[in-house]
Amino acid sequence: MQKLTLALVAHDAKKDDMADFVAMHENAIRPFILFATGTTGGRVMERCPSLSVTRLKSGPLGGDQQIGAMIAEGKIDALFFFVDPLSPHPHDVDVKALMRLALVYNIPMALNRATAERLIVTFDP
Ligand SMILES: O=C(CO)COP(=O)(O)O
C-alpha cells in the first residue's frame, strides 16, 4: 500500500506545541512521508532526530504555497497546521491560500493540537 503523506506547519507561538505533539505521537507519525515548512521541520527534527522530514521553504518565504501546490497536485494526504490566531503574519494571504486548497481538495486538516490529537489516531498509514 502507498504510504500516506503528512504536511506539518506551525506558527512561531505554536512550534513548541507541534514539536511536543510529534514527539508524543512519534510512532504513529513515523510511517508517514513527512513534509514541513522550513522552521517547523527543523524544530520537529531537532526534537525527533530519527524522523525524516522533507523541509520546504519557511512559511513567509513561500513554504505555505509550496505545500498548497503539493495539495493541488494530490501529493498531500493530510495537513496539521497549528495556527497562532493572536499574532499578525506578514504572509497571511499565503496562510489563507493553504487552508483554502486543503478545503478545495477535501483533505483532513487539523488547525490546532486538540484536533490533531483526535485525527492522528484515525490514520492507518
Ligand atoms: O509561517 C509558517 C506558516 O504560515 C510556518 O513557517 P515556518 O515553519 O518556516 O516557520
Side-chain angles (χ1 to χ4, degrees):
M1 207 174 63
Q2 186 116 1
K3 281 182 153 193
L4 292 180
T5 300
L6 175 61
L8 303 173
V9 184
H11 284 147
D12 287 352
K14 300 292 176 180
K15 283 185 171 68
D16 284 345
D17 238 10
M18 177 62 84
D20 280 353
F21 168 77
V22 174
M24 187 172 288
H25 297 280
E26 195 168 339
N27 288 336
I29 288 173
R30 187 180 312 284
F32 287 89
I33 298 169
L34 297 173
F35 288 89
T37 47
T39 321
T40 302
R43 289 287 297 279
V44 166
M45 285 199 293
E46 232 171 65
R47 186 71 184 274
C48 303
S50 71
L51 286 182
S52 166
V53 182
T54 300
R55 292 170 65 192
L56 303 168
K57 286 187 180 287
S58 183
L61 298 179
D64 297 59
Q65 295 216 30
Q66 285 181 293
I67 292 178
M70 291 178 74
I71 291 172
E73 290 168 347
K75 293 178 179 164
I76 300 288
D77 296 301
L79 171 65
F80 289 2
F81 186 174
F82 291 5
V83 173
D84 169 13
L86 298 178
S87 307
H89 299 99
H91 59 305
D92 197 48
V93 288
D94 295 15
V95 172
K96 296 250 169 55
L98 172 54
M99 291 177 187
R100 182 178 166 278
L101 286 172
L103 293 170
V104 169
Y105 288 91
N106 195 34
I107 66 162
M109 168 172 60
L111 296 178
N112 62 20
R113 185 170 177 177
T115 310
E117 298 279 2
R118 285 158 182 76
L119 195 52
I120 191 66
V121 298
T122 68
F123 285 105
D124 186 10

